[in-house]
């Protein structure tokens, strides 16, 4: 039994991010993936010029109460893009719907390239930090890590000591394992720093010429699925990075809104055995 994971993030109907990534990718890992939508959007907010947005906060306590009535429980939770008023309802669900020992994966989706995503105010990172407290794994990029710590993002010119001090700060928020993404000490390599609070280990891949929207969601989904299959944090992180790189390489140049991850599902299935 590999278990059942509940992912809590938005449904962007078009754009290959959040739920439309998590459901197929986590399923491909052999893990049952249930979902609690935080919002419904016509398309994601990164790169499209406009979108519709319906916040689903009001549904959360109703769904939680129904799950309690039916004794529906989960082996793991994976949170992604959520709305500012949802931190308390989500914390409540992660408590009431947890099987004993349930894992918490938190991808603090809110920012990239030094900036908060459109729609999030300056007070949101402090709220997101509350989700990180008690998480088994948090998966911030360098921008999100800085915002979680109330600092200005530093995206280049840093060293290992800087990354390791940042990881220590994130552990101090109450996260057991920290996986920092987008780490680079030399121009040709891009990777992750994986910390269990005692040791920081690194994994790098060659930096690709292109970037793509939604890669963070592919990374987090593979990571959560692989960790539930028993891989260590470093192994899960290395696999997730390999899948992201292969997906970017498989994405046609005119496919601008996301990453064509479906083309590398066979690779993911094969690597998980
Ligand atoms: O991929 C992260 C993400 C998820 N959901 C929505 C987004 C973004 C990034 O822009 O806009 C709605």
């Amino acid at each position: 039994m590999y278990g059942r994971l509940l992912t809590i993030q938005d449904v962007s109907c078009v754009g290959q991010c959040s739920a439309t990534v998590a459901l197929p990718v986590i399923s491909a890992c052999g893990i049952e993936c249930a979902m609690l939508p935080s919002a419904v959007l016509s398309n994601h907010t990164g790169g499209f010029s406009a979108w519709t947005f319906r916040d689903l906060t009001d549904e959360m306590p109703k769904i939680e109460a129904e799950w309690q009535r039916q004794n529906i429980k989960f082996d793991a939770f994976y949170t992604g893009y959520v709305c500012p008023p949802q931190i308390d309802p989500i914390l409540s669900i992660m408590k009431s719907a947890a099987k004993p020992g349930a894992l918490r994966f938190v991808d603090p989706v809110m920012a990239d390239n030094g900036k908060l995503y459109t729609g999030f105010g300056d007070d949101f990172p402090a709220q997101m930090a509350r989700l990180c407290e008690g998480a088994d794994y948090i998966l911030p990029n360098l921008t999100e890590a800085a915002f979680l710590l109330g600092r200005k993002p530093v995206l280049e010119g840093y060293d290992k000591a800087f990354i390791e001090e940042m990881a220590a700060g994130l552990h101090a928020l109450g996260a057991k394992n920290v996986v920092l993404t987008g780490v680079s000490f030399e121009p040709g390599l891009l990777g992750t720093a994986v910390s269990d609070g005692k040791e920081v280990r690194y994994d790098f891949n060659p930096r690709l010429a292109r970037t793509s929207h939604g890669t963070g969601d592919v990374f987090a989904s593979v990571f959560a699925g692989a960790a539930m299959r028993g891989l260590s944090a470093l192994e899960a992180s290395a696999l997730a990075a390999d899948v992201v790189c292969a997906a970017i390489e498989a994405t046609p140049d005119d496919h601008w809104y996301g990453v064509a991850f479906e083309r590398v599902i066979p690779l993911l299935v094969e690597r998980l055995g």
Side-chain angles (χ1 to χ4, degrees):
M1 219 280 281
Y2 296 143
R4 173 160 67 182
L5 175 148
L6 176 69
T7 189
I8 307 173
Q9 51 185 323
D10 68 286
V11 177
S12 279
C13 300
V14 169
Q16 295 200 293
C17 70
S18 325
T20 60
V21 169
L23 289 164
V25 168
I26 291 167
S27 299
C29 294
I31 305 297
E32 178 183 339
C33 187
M35 81 157 310
L36 179 62
S38 56
V40 180
L41 294 82
S42 53
N43 46 268
H44 62 64
T45 68
F48 290 94
S49 56
W51 49 86
T52 69
F53 188 99
R54 170 125 187 164
D55 175 319
L56 294 174
T57 309
D58 290 351
E59 288 302 309
M60 289 185 165
K62 293 190 251 171
I63 291 172
E64 179 181 17
E66 191 54 41
W67 285 344
Q68 279 182 294
R69 266 192 290 276
Q70 297 188 41
N71 198 29
I72 290 171
K73 308 272 182 201
F74 302 95
D75 301 286
F77 302 92
Y78 153 33
T79 67
Y81 182 105
V82 301
C83 306
Q86 294 175 347
I87 304 302
D88 286 315
I90 290 171
L91 287 170
S92 174
I93 288 169
M94 290 201 296
K95 218 163 143 195
S96 71
K99 287 192 192 168
L103 294 174
R104 292 186 189 186
F105 300 89
V106 174
D107 184 2
V109 176
M110 60 182 166
D112 205 359
N113 301 316
K115 281 193 248 145
L116 285 172
Y117 290 142
T118 311
F120 291 135
D122 292 341
D123 51 350
F124 187 52
Q127 292 304 310
M128 192 58 106
R130 295 174 55 224
L131 267 191
C132 295
E133 193 184 336
D136 293 280
Y137 303 91
I138 63 167
L139 312 163
N141 61 38
L142 284 189
T143 300
E144 289 159 345
F147 281 123
L148 284 171
L149 296 174
R151 301 180 189 172
K152 262 195 160 158
V154 175
L155 302 179
E156 52 187 22
Y158 50 78
D159 58 9
K160 274 194 176 176
F162 173 86
I163 292 295
E164 290 170 18
E165 192 268 326
M166 195 111 165
L170 293 166
H171 284 298
L173 295 179
K176 294 181 191 129
N177 295 278
V178 173
V179 180
L180 268 171
T181 63
V183 174
S184 182
F185 300 121
E186 49 182 296
L189 295 177
L190 186 62
T192 56
V194 180
S195 172
D196 61 4
K198 294 184 206 102
E199 201 179 351
V200 182
R201 294 189 172 92
Y202 294 89
D203 172 66
F204 293 100
N205 282 67
R207 185 192 284 272
L208 303 176
R210 280 191 295 161
T211 58
S212 193
H213 190 88
T215 50
D217 300 336
V218 176
F219 181 90
S221 299
V222 174
F223 183 93
M228 283 191 75
R229 289 286 300 272
L231 273 65
S232 70
L234 187 66
E235 289 165 343
S237 181
L239 174 61
D242 289 351
V243 170
V244 166
C245 290
I248 293 173
E249 285 184 320
T251 302
D253 287 339
D254 61 354
H255 189 101
W256 59 270
Y257 52 81
V259 65
F261 67 88
E262 57 280 351
R263 299 181 190 208
V264 298
I265 294 256
L267 166 76
L268 172 60
V269 172
E270 186 193 320
R271 289 275 298 268
L272 281 172

